[in-house]
Amino acid sequence: MDRLDNNVRPYAWGSTTAIPRLLGVEPTGEPQAEMWMGAHPGAPSRTPRGPLNEVIEKSPEHELGGRTVARFGPRLPFLLKILAAGAPLSLQVHPDLEQAKEGYADEERRGIPVDAPHRNYKDANHKPELICALTEFDGLCGFRAPVEAADLLAGLGVDSLKPYVDLLHAHPEEAALREVLTAVLSADPEDMAHTVTEAAAACARLGGAYAPYADIAHHYPGDPGVIAAMLLNPVRLQPGEALFLGAGVPHAYLNGLGVEIMANSDNVLRCGLTPKHVDVPELLRIVRFEANDPGVLRPEASPDGEEVYETPIDEFRLSRYVLPEGAAPHDLTRPTPQILLCTAGSVRVGDHLLAPGQSVFVPADEQTEASGIGTLFRATVIA
């Protein structure tokens, strides 16, 4: 197995303190948003044998195992991250696998460069993801019931929001949500900026359930995504709780530190809270206009002490071990590749003693035991 040296991405929304605090190092004063663990070519983890993507390319059957290669091809199917949100991320959705293949093929045919700012599909893969909280973690996930969204908007007392309130009351659920999101994102930018300014002032004055939207508007003044965000369910995760984000589900992370795992893709359709490109017609094709509960996940414990976050996805499987003092070593050997990440305490994995924020890559079928006192996350695949 290999100790990983991981890249930290300095996105503007990142916390300046959360990742340094986890790692036990001094903050630099710059935002540190995501620490990537994996073989994504944009920021592969480094190993003593070279970048992890190159290590896997040289010997995919050995590193990933025959079952993983047969199922997903000669690449690591997942990307693991530590995510530290100090400000809201963009409001976004991800395509399903068929939509991603269609969208990627279409943009390839039209000759749109992969790095073009108006390009939607960087690859032909879907991007389901799971976020597990390490601290209290705030986010938005999935649509509220239209009547609840209508009541929230009506409570602001902003005249220019009344047409949206009426739409939410007057139509069936899917049509109501579709029409309102379309209207918000297609409105005259100057008129919408004025509406958002009024709504933000009302949110700040009212507080309570409106407080998160005042904070969002502070970071993204005049952005139509502030109104779109009010159509979604707010959710607060406690440490150890998680959210699964499937295809077409609008979501945004607002604040907190967590472990995130996703299929190895970079396909994002944005709804707002961003200066980046928003492709409204394509977004509306991808969004699933269904009101539902965010569905907070709690891990299911197995007899050997592994706590698994169950999802309907095979490209990744996230679990954790909470190791108490005096516990016997856990055999972690699997026929699939693994990344093991310590988030608390001190955990020995093979010859490596891991402190919080440290990780290792374990090739398929390599004999592996874990012991110590702390918390160890395990990322692998189902193959």
Side-chain angles (χ1 to χ4, degrees), residues 245-262:
L245 291 313
V249 177
H251 61 278
Y253 302 145
L254 304 180
N255 185 67
L257 182 70
V259 173
E260 185 182 35
I261 189 168
M262 62 192 64

Side-chain angles (χ1 to χ4, degrees), residues 188-214:
D188 177 81
E190 188 174 331
D191 290 344
M192 178 52 65
H194 181 71
T195 295
V196 172
T197 300
E198 281 193 75
C203 287
R205 183 178 68 254
L206 293 167
Y210 292 97
Y213 309 102

Side-chain angles (χ1 to χ4, degrees), residues 20-51:
R21 186 181 302 119
L22 178 72
L23 298 176
V25 299
E26 287 296 316
T28 64
E30 299 298 318
Q32 298 188 34
E34 296 179 348
M35 186 168 76
W36 288 23
M37 292 158 280
H40 192 287
S45 298
R46 296 172 293 275
T47 79
R49 296 184 288 159

Side-chain angles (χ1 to χ4, degrees), residues 5-61:
D5 181 15
N6 301 306
N7 295 281
V8 176
R9 312 308 294 265
Y11 305 136
W13 49 261
S15 168
T16 59
T17 58
I19 288 178
R21 186 181 302 119
L22 178 72
L23 298 176
V25 299
E26 287 296 316
T28 64
E30 299 298 318
Q32 298 188 34
E34 296 179 348
M35 186 168 76
W36 288 23
M37 292 158 280
H40 192 287
S45 298
R46 296 172 293 275
T47 79
R49 296 184 288 159
L52 185 57
N53 58 330
E54 295 180 9
V55 170
I56 291 171
E57 286 169 7
K58 290 175 183 175
S59 185
E61 292 270 346

Side-chain angles (χ1 to χ4, degrees), residues 102-164:
E102 291 175 354
Y104 180 77
D106 175 63
E107 291 185 329
E108 287 289 283
R109 279 194 303 270
R110 290 190 282 144
I112 302 174
V114 172
D115 58 354
H118 62 287
R119 173 123 184 186
N120 295 313
Y121 297 94
K122 311 296 186 184
D123 52 68
N125 199 17
H126 61 166
K127 193 190 175 190
E129 60 190 42
L130 177 85
I131 183 78
C132 177
L134 295 178
T135 65
E136 278 197 344
F137 194 97
D138 293 316
L140 304 169
C141 180
F143 286 109
R144 302 172 185 263
V147 66
E148 293 178 9
D151 290 345
L152 191 72
L153 292 175
L156 293 172
V158 175
D159 288 344
S160 53
L161 291 176
K162 288 180 180 177
Y164 304 143

